[in-house]
Amino acid sequence: MHKHGGARTRGLAAELKELRARSGMTTREVAKRTGFSIATVNRMENGRRRITPEDAASLLAVYGVTGAARARILVLARDSDLSGWWETDDGDLPVHLPALGCFEADASRIVHVAMLRIPGLLQTADYIRTALIAVDFPAEKRKSMAAARLQRQKVLLSRTAPNYLAIIDEAALRRPTGSRELMAAQCHHLVAMAERPRIDIRIIPFDRGSHAGLDGSYVQMEFAKASPIIYLELVQSSMFRDAEREVRPYLDTTDKLMKVALSSAESVKFLRRLAGEYGRE
């Protein structure tokens, strides 16, 4: 059983809360128009009350959500008791993006294990744009995708920022994404972020050999009053895993990687050296 609901319930709650915010309505106004109590609206938005398809339909009608967006949210409400949450992306932005942003904002701790690319919350704007071009991300969607990622990064700068740990394999830093100048700037940005409170960046250099993280990148999100969630980003799809038996191996992998990674201070020195290498002609 999930403490305060699984990823689907909590993601649905986050999306409905965001839709209410966009509508400009207060919970009192929504309660009056739907017939729910204010407490019920609050519990649904906090993921502490199951949201039935009928509940969701009432809220979506008030928020003016129609068409494919309405259909997708109703399916999510119907399947909210299922473990895990996998979606195929075929719209302007990844389907999971609203929920991911809300989970990041609510998390007490975020761990990003990055084997091939710089973690999204630590990427410079130039790195984001270049990375999107490199994977042939549709040109007409790049601007909105880059803007969404930059918006998500603000969670690390807020007064209530979560503790953030990035474990980055040297491969993600050595593979050029754009020019040498761009990579030097990205390394300098990582150094600057590592100096901020509640942000810890750990590098796993090549000379540490094979390690548990090579099975793949993931994001681990922990919460003060809810169970952890793992986020996996795949080609044209993404997945949240929330069952304890599925989450535990990732938590164990994080512990293993911390034993082979450089210390915080050593990681910063590594990044400064690498920035210098990229900066040389």
Side-chain angles (χ1 to χ4, degrees):
M1 179 178 293
H2 301 293
K3 185 180 179 183
H4 295 152
R8 290 175 187 262
T9 296
R10 289 151 66 184
L12 173 60
E15 287 204 49
L16 291 173
K17 184 175 182 179
E18 176 64 20
L19 288 170
R20 177 181 62 77
R22 290 181 190 173
S23 75
M25 296 183 192
T26 64
T27 53
R28 182 180 297 277
E29 291 170 327
V30 171
K32 183 177 181 180
R33 294 186 60 176
T34 59
F36 298 131
S37 68
I38 297 175
T40 294
V41 175
N42 283 327
R43 285 198 297 273
M44 286 194 288
E45 290 191 352
N46 291 331
R48 299 186 180 185
R49 179 189 186 278
R50 184 176 183 275
I51 303 170
T52 67
E54 293 75 22
D55 294 336
S58 296
L59 293 169
L60 294 175
V62 170
Y63 303 149
V65 178
T66 60
R70 178 181 184 275
R72 183 184 62 79
I73 291 175
L74 291 180
V75 169
L76 185 57
R78 183 196 67 196
D79 297 338
S80 61
D81 286 338
L82 297 179
S83 175
W85 180 13
W86 175 79
E87 292 277 6
T88 298
D89 300 325
D90 54 9
D92 289 341
L93 292 174
V95 173
H96 276 148
L97 202 55
L100 177 61
C102 290
F103 287 152
E104 289 170 337
D106 290 342
S108 57
R109 182 179 186 237
I110 299 173
V111 178
H112 193 147
V113 172
M115 297 293 102
L116 300 174
R117 295 189 184 92
I118 305 301
L121 294 183
L122 297 177
Q123 294 174 0
T124 64
D126 286 340
Y127 186 100
I128 294 172
R129 287 189 286 268
T130 304
L132 291 175
I133 291 171
V135 297
D136 291 326
F137 197 82
E140 67 276 12
K141 301 177 184 179
R142 287 175 199 154
K143 185 174 181 180
S144 57
M145 184 64 173
R149 190 169 300 173
L150 290 170
Q151 179 64 32
R152 283 174 45 223
Q153 291 180 358
K154 293 180 181 179
V155 72
L156 298 183
L157 308 179
S158 69
R159 283 190 308 105
T160 57
N163 291 313
Y164 180 80
L165 168 64
I167 304 176
I168 307 174
D169 191 86
E170 184 174 349
L173 298 161
R174 289 288 181 184
R175 185 181 300 279
T177 298
S179 67
R180 296 180 66 86
E181 291 78 13
L182 187 156
M183 290 302 296
Q186 177 64 71
C187 290
H188 284 304
H189 179 66
L190 291 173
V191 170
M193 293 300 288
E195 293 174 347
R196 297 189 64 88
R198 296 194 288 274
I199 295 180
D200 188 10
I201 297 178
R202 301 296 188 92
I203 307 300
I204 302 180
F206 287 145
D207 63 17
R208 295 297 167 94
S210 183
H211 55 76
L214 296 178
D215 286 334
S217 303
Y218 59 90
V219 179
Q220 168 184 323
M221 292 172 283
E222 301 170 17
F223 306 87
K225 297 181 179 180
S227 52
I229 291 176
I230 300 298
Y231 177 67
L232 303 174
E233 191 170 346
L234 311 169
V235 178
Q236 285 296 108
S237 64
S238 52
M239 176 188 298
F240 289 112
R241 309 191 79 167
D242 53 19
E244 198 281 335
R245 68 182 184 281
E246 298 173 340
V247 170
R248 173 50 55 189
Y250 291 94
L251 305 185
D252 292 342
T253 295
T254 296
D255 291 340
K256 293 174 184 175
L257 294 178
M258 286 297 285
K259 294 177 181 178
V260 299
L262 298 175
S263 69
S264 302
E266 290 170 336
S267 294
V268 168
K269 290 179 181 178
F270 183 98
L271 289 167
R272 286 187 171 131
R273 286 197 304 270
L274 187 56
E277 291 178 24
Y278 276 124
R280 289 195 292 270
E281 293 294 333

mmCIF file of all heavy atoms in Angstrom, residues 29 39 54 56 58 62-63 88 114-115 156 159 181 183-184 212 253:
data_model
loop_
_atom_site.group_PDB
_atom_site.id
_atom_site.type_symbol
_atom_site.label_atom_id
_atom_site.label_comp_id
_atom_site.label_asym_id
_atom_site.label_seq_id
_atom_site.Cartn_x
_atom_site.Cartn_y
_atom_site.Cartn_z
ATOM 1 N N GLU A 29 -14.095 28.678 -4.310
ATOM 2 C CA GLU A 29 -14.898 28.862 -5.519
ATOM 3 C C GLU A 29 -15.175 27.533 -6.207
ATOM 4 O O GLU A 29 -16.294 27.277 -6.687
ATOM 5 C CB GLU A 29 -14.189 29.818 -6.476
ATOM 6 C CG GLU A 29 -14.137 31.256 -5.974
ATOM 7 C CD GLU A 29 -13.229 32.141 -6.812
ATOM 8 O OE1 GLU A 29 -12.203 31.623 -7.326
ATOM 9 O OE2 GLU A 29 -13.530 33.333 -6.949
ATOM 10 N N ALA A 39 -12.732 21.131 2.163
ATOM 11 C CA ALA A 39 -11.806 20.110 2.679
ATOM 12 C C ALA A 39 -11.611 18.990 1.658
ATOM 13 O O ALA A 39 -10.482 18.500 1.479
ATOM 14 C CB ALA A 39 -12.340 19.546 3.992
ATOM 15 N N GLU A 54 -15.666 10.393 -11.902
ATOM 16 C CA GLU A 54 -16.772 11.342 -11.754
ATOM 17 C C GLU A 54 -16.297 12.629 -11.080
ATOM 18 O O GLU A 54 -16.684 13.740 -11.495
ATOM 19 C CB GLU A 54 -17.902 10.704 -10.935
ATOM 20 C CG GLU A 54 -18.614 9.550 -11.612
ATOM 21 C CD GLU A 54 -17.804 8.270 -11.638
ATOM 22 O OE1 GLU A 54 -16.874 8.139 -10.786
ATOM 23 O OE2 GLU A 54 -18.085 7.413 -12.493
ATOM 24 N N ALA A 56 -13.213 13.776 -11.162
ATOM 25 C CA ALA A 56 -12.354 14.454 -12.136
ATOM 26 C C ALA A 56 -13.191 15.162 -13.198
ATOM 27 O O ALA A 56 -12.900 16.299 -13.578
ATOM 28 C CB ALA A 56 -11.403 13.455 -12.790
ATOM 29 N N SER A 58 -16.170 16.396 -12.933
ATOM 30 C CA SER A 58 -16.773 17.608 -12.356
ATOM 31 C C SER A 58 -15.766 18.753 -12.314
ATOM 32 O O SER A 58 -16.071 19.897 -12.672
ATOM 33 C CB SER A 58 -17.285 17.313 -10.941
ATOM 34 O OG SER A 58 -18.316 16.359 -10.964
ATOM 35 N N VAL A 62 -15.539 22.450 -14.642
ATOM 36 C CA VAL A 62 -15.381 23.778 -14.044
ATOM 37 C C VAL A 62 -14.166 24.496 -14.616
ATOM 38 O O VAL A 62 -14.183 25.705 -14.854
ATOM 39 C CB VAL A 62 -15.267 23.655 -12.506
ATOM 40 C CG1 VAL A 62 -14.855 24.993 -11.885
ATOM 41 C CG2 VAL A 62 -16.593 23.183 -11.918
ATOM 42 N N TYR A 63 -13.092 23.730 -14.885
ATOM 43 C CA TYR A 63 -11.857 24.322 -15.394
ATOM 44 C C TYR A 63 -11.873 24.507 -16.911
ATOM 45 O O TYR A 63 -10.920 25.055 -17.476
ATOM 46 C CB TYR A 63 -10.655 23.457 -15.008
ATOM 47 C CG TYR A 63 -10.502 23.233 -13.519
ATOM 48 C CD1 TYR A 63 -9.953 22.052 -13.014
ATOM 49 C CD2 TYR A 63 -10.920 24.204 -12.600
ATOM 50 C CE1 TYR A 63 -9.823 21.845 -11.653
ATOM 51 C CE2 TYR A 63 -10.802 23.999 -11.243
ATOM 52 C CZ TYR A 63 -10.254 22.811 -10.766
ATOM 53 O OH TYR A 63 -10.137 22.612 -9.415
ATOM 54 N N THR A 88 3.224 7.249 -23.065
ATOM 55 C CA THR A 88 3.891 7.495 -24.339
ATOM 56 C C THR A 88 3.672 8.943 -24.712
ATOM 57 O O THR A 88 2.550 9.460 -24.601
ATOM 58 C CB THR A 88 3.314 6.588 -25.446
ATOM 59 O OG1 THR A 88 3.551 5.229 -25.089
ATOM 60 C CG2 THR A 88 3.992 6.873 -26.777
ATOM 61 N N ALA A 114 22.953 10.345 -13.274
ATOM 62 C CA ALA A 114 23.064 10.679 -14.700
ATOM 63 C C ALA A 114 24.299 10.023 -15.302
ATOM 64 O O ALA A 114 25.424 10.356 -14.940
ATOM 65 C CB ALA A 114 23.141 12.197 -14.869
ATOM 66 N N MET A 115 24.059 9.112 -16.220
ATOM 67 C CA MET A 115 25.154 8.371 -16.835
ATOM 68 C C MET A 115 25.590 8.947 -18.182
ATOM 69 O O MET A 115 26.756 8.828 -18.564
ATOM 70 C CB MET A 115 24.751 6.906 -17.026
ATOM 71 C CG MET A 115 24.475 6.157 -15.734
ATOM 72 S SD MET A 115 25.975 5.947 -14.721
ATOM 73 C CE MET A 115 25.724 7.220 -13.470
ATOM 74 N N LEU A 156 15.310 24.513 -7.454
ATOM 75 C CA LEU A 156 16.565 24.438 -6.700
ATOM 76 C C LEU A 156 16.975 25.780 -6.111
ATOM 77 O O LEU A 156 17.884 25.843 -5.274
ATOM 78 C CB LEU A 156 17.690 23.916 -7.595
ATOM 79 C CG LEU A 156 17.523 22.504 -8.159
ATOM 80 C CD1 LEU A 156 18.760 22.111 -8.961
ATOM 81 C CD2 LEU A 156 17.255 21.492 -7.057
ATOM 82 N N ARG A 159 13.150 29.208 -1.711
ATOM 83 C CA ARG A 159 13.387 29.184 -0.262
ATOM 84 C C ARG A 159 13.161 27.800 0.323
ATOM 85 O O ARG A 159 13.766 27.429 1.333
ATOM 86 C CB ARG A 159 12.447 30.178 0.447
ATOM 87 C CG ARG A 159 12.827 31.625 0.340
ATOM 88 C CD ARG A 159 11.990 32.484 1.269
ATOM 89 N NE ARG A 159 10.560 32.239 1.092
ATOM 90 C CZ ARG A 159 9.812 31.553 1.947
ATOM 91 N NH1 ARG A 159 10.354 31.021 3.030
ATOM 92 N NH2 ARG A 159 8.519 31.389 1.723
ATOM 93 N N GLU A 181 33.437 25.679 -25.905
ATOM 94 C CA GLU A 181 33.046 26.817 -25.067
ATOM 95 C C GLU A 181 31.762 26.509 -24.293
ATOM 96 O O GLU A 181 31.627 26.847 -23.118
ATOM 97 C CB GLU A 181 32.860 28.071 -25.925
ATOM 98 C CG GLU A 181 34.145 28.640 -26.522
ATOM 99 C CD GLU A 181 34.618 27.851 -27.734
ATOM 100 O OE1 GLU A 181 33.846 27.021 -28.266
ATOM 101 O OE2 GLU A 181 35.778 28.054 -28.149
ATOM 102 N N MET A 183 30.653 23.532 -23.404
ATOM 103 C CA MET A 183 30.932 22.541 -22.376
ATOM 104 C C MET A 183 31.707 23.145 -21.211
ATOM 105 O O MET A 183 31.492 22.788 -20.047
ATOM 106 C CB MET A 183 31.696 21.366 -22.974
ATOM 107 C CG MET A 183 30.864 20.501 -23.924
ATOM 108 S SD MET A 183 29.364 19.807 -23.164
ATOM 109 C CE MET A 183 30.060 18.736 -21.896
ATOM 110 N N ALA A 184 32.609 24.087 -21.521
ATOM 111 C CA ALA A 184 33.327 24.777 -20.443
ATOM 112 C C ALA A 184 32.344 25.556 -19.580
ATOM 113 O O ALA A 184 32.408 25.522 -18.338
ATOM 114 C CB ALA A 184 34.387 25.709 -21.035
ATOM 115 N N ALA A 212 27.403 0.209 -10.381
ATOM 116 C CA ALA A 212 25.980 -0.144 -10.438
ATOM 117 C C ALA A 212 25.154 0.820 -11.280
ATOM 118 O O ALA A 212 24.106 0.447 -11.815
ATOM 119 C CB ALA A 212 25.409 -0.200 -9.018
ATOM 120 N N THR A 253 20.961 1.226 -5.101
ATOM 121 C CA THR A 253 21.962 1.614 -6.098
ATOM 122 C C THR A 253 22.567 2.973 -5.757
ATOM 123 O O THR A 253 23.779 3.179 -5.877
ATOM 124 C CB THR A 253 21.331 1.662 -7.504
ATOM 125 O OG1 THR A 253 20.927 0.337 -7.866
ATOM 126 C CG2 THR A 253 22.330 2.179 -8.538
#
